[in-house]
Amino acid sequence: MKLINHYLPLLSLFILGSCNAQKSEKTTSLKNSYKGDFYIGTALSADQINEKNVKEDSLIHKEFNAITAENIMKSMFVHPAKDKYDFTLSDKFVAYGKKNKMFIHGHTLIWHSQLAPWMEQIKDSAEMKAFMKDHITTIVSKYKGSINSWDVVNEALNDDGTLRKSIFLNTLGESYLADAFKLAAKADPKVDLYYNDYNNEAPAKREGTINLIKKVRAAGGKVDGVGIQAHWRLESPSIEEIEKSILAYSALGLKVAFTELDITVLPNPWDLKGADVNQNFEGSAKMNPYPKALPDSIQTKLAERYASIFKLFLKHKDKISRVTFWGVHDGQSWLNDWPIKGRTNYPLLFDTKLKPKKAYYSVMQLKEVKQ
Ligand code: 9MR
């Protein structure tokens, strides 16, 4: 008894300590801070799906509650030959999401890019129709009840809002859009179906997106949501244009998801007056100004930009289903290689060493201040 009395204060300190630890675990992650607002997702590389790096893996479960495969579910990987599917990695991806109780998003069914070479050879409408039916039905049925939402059609529009002259449009005409949504709904009637694109917060492409979705619906297709990819810059798009887009899409009864969020801090070759985009900028110091570290002033700009974006997202949280970053940390970002190869970009909330950046704290801080 005496011994218990002696240890009781210590024991209560221990219990209190572990409660505090649990509390701080609850409040110090993106997914917990934004719980009840919208899912906070990340895109996963093949190595991350294979749990290659323990530190990255624990960061992923700590911070995120939604996942998208950055590449491995694209046509060239899952459907490499006409009669051959390879679901090895996509099965692992889905198992990863289930194990960690995450929202699982499928990316992507019908996209003109990253097609398998055999698909590029399809020339006539009958063959393309058969491809679409087999591809969509096989993949969506396989993950029926496991995958929570799909990018059914990706990037079908040009920036002026007209339809992109893709292999699908060229062989089938615009009916391919409604057909894709109908096939996906037939294979899994309950899964959420999205149209996903970049720059569709800009006025002309927003109009194009709205027309596309209206036409698909008029033809009997089910569209539940719109994905705004959100590959953005420090200065643009404006918060006003993003807000107009959230309102316009949601007025159509669509869920709005920000599906591939990142913010480049590097100069863009297209902004340089007289610059020829085809010119080779590789190795140019002017175009790769921060090869070692991001200056504090830009780090702060990035943090402020993320804060204003998330402030807007919170204002419209009732309309937003998910906000997914296009990668876990800066080292993994596609923006290190696009539009110029071999640069050092800083577009995400975690740096290459997986440390939270100022931008991370600015996003977290919004949830500490009373809404
Ligand atoms: O991040 C992806 C990169 O690793 C690939 O090389 C690239 C190929 O096109 O695709 C990137 O992801 C794209 C996404 O699938 C669709 N929207 C634009 C993304 C960035 O290019």
Side-chain angles (χ1 to χ4, degrees), residues 91-261:
D91 281 352
K92 281 194 178 169
F93 165 74
V94 170
Y96 184 95
K98 283 191 172 174
K99 182 173 82 178
N100 296 304
K101 302 192 171 54
M102 291 161 155
F103 182 95
I104 307 173
H105 180 70
H107 175 78
T108 172
L109 295 167
I110 296 297
W111 188 29
H112 63 277
S113 193
Q114 289 179 289
L115 291 169
W118 74 271
M119 296 167 188
E120 312 258 16
Q121 303 308 314
I122 297 176
K123 292 275 174 315
D124 65 62
S125 63
E127 224 188 319
M128 185 56 91
K129 258 199 160 140
F131 157 71
M132 279 193 30
K133 186 167 182 204
D134 184 60
H135 186 78
I136 296 176
T137 311
T138 306
I139 301 173
V140 178
S141 311
K142 174 165 171 50
Y143 295 115
K144 183 177 175 181
S146 299
I147 283 196
N148 304 97
S149 59
W150 275 105
D151 286 334
V152 178
V153 178
N154 199 43
E155 301 173 10
L157 293 166
N158 298 311
D159 278 348
D160 65 1
T162 58
L163 287 179
R164 182 192 289 274
K165 290 205 180 335
S166 66
I167 191 166
F168 307 107
L169 187 72
N170 293 344
T171 50
L172 294 171
E174 57 183 277
S175 64
Y176 88 87
L177 295 160
D179 285 348
F181 281 91
K182 285 188 208 167
L183 286 164
K186 196 168 173 208
D188 185 353
K190 289 198 186 135
V191 72
D192 269 356
L193 304 179
Y194 279 72
Y195 174 72
N196 189 49
D197 214 327
Y198 59 84
N199 290 350
N200 54 351
E201 70 286 336
K205 202 159 184 178
R206 178 167 69 225
E207 279 316 298
T209 305
I210 289 172
N211 287 337
L212 183 156
I213 293 172
K214 281 186 174 165
K215 279 191 188 167
V216 168
R217 284 176 163 174
K222 176 178 87 98
V223 187
D224 302 288
V226 63
I228 298 177
Q229 291 184 4
H231 293 296
W232 289 337
R233 296 150 297 276
L234 283 173
E235 314 292 346
S236 65
S238 70
I239 295 298
E240 290 71 29
E241 286 307 336
I242 304 170
E243 181 164 40
K244 278 187 197 161
S245 305
I246 298 173
L247 294 171
Y249 291 136
S250 135
L252 296 179
L254 294 163
K255 296 179 185 176
V256 180
F258 292 88
T259 53
E260 305 183 12
L261 176 59

Side-chain angles (χ1 to χ4, degrees), residues 7 18 26 41 81 103 206 228 234 252 271 278 307 310 332:
Y7 281 111
S18 67
K26 273 222 154 70
F103 182 95
R206 178 167 69 225
I228 298 177
L234 283 173
L252 296 179
D271 291 339
N278 298 317
F310 271 79
Q332 163 195 5

Side-chain angles (χ1 to χ4, degrees), residues 66-95:
I67 51 170
T68 304
E70 185 179 0
N71 284 300
I72 58 99
M73 293 193 88
K74 293 171 180 173
S75 303
M76 66 188 285
F77 299 112
V78 284
H79 198 172
K82 192 171 178 187
D83 299 315
K84 184 173 176 255
Y85 286 89
D86 182 350
F87 290 120
T88 321
L89 275 173
S90 53
D91 281 352
K92 281 194 178 169
F93 165 74
V94 170

